[in-house]
Amino acid sequence: QVQLMESGGGLVRPGGSLRLSCTPSGGSVRDYTVGWFRQAPGKEREFVATIRRNGGHTYYSDSVKGRFTISRDNAKNTVHLQMDTLIIEDTAVYYCAAGAGVILSDVRRPGRYNYWGQGTQVTVAS
C-alpha cells in the first residue's frame, strides 16, 4: 500500500513563495503519475499540477501556469511543487495524489488517482 506524505505548507504573504513536498512510502515517484490538487472551504477539489511517470511531462491548471512548478527528485523519491507569486486565491489545503494507470486525458480528474495524502494547508494572506 502506497502512502503519501505532504509537507511545506504554511502562511505566506501575497507575492511570496512556498515549496511543497510529496514523498511516497511503498513506491517510487517514477512509477506513478503524481499530481497536486487543492481544495478551499466550500469549493470543489481542483487540479493544480501533475507530472507523468514516463518522460516526466508536466501539466498545470491555467490558474497556476507560470507561477507554479512541479518537479521530481528521483534521488530523494520526492515530488515538489514550487509555488511562486502566490495570491490570496491560492489559499487551500493542498493534496498530493498518485496514480498507477492515469491516462493523459484524465490527469486533471481526482477520481483517477489511487492514493492520496492527508493534505497540507497553504494560506496566503497579508
Side-chain angles (χ1 to χ4, degrees), residues 3 13 19 26 28 36 47 53 60 67 75 78 91 107 113:
Q3 294 182 332
R13 294 184 296 180
R19 189 178 75 161
S28 171
W36 288 94
F47 168 79
R53 61 178 179 176
Y60 301 90
R67 300 188 298 117
T78 299
T91 297
V107 296
Y113 291 77

Side-chain angles (χ1 to χ4, degrees), residues 44-64:
E44 299 289 327
R45 185 169 299 186
E46 66 174 352
F47 168 79
V48 177
T50 193
I51 185 166
R52 302 289 287 171
R53 61 178 179 176
N54 297 122
H57 301 295
T58 59
Y59 302 89
Y60 301 90
S61 68
D62 291 339
S63 62
V64 307

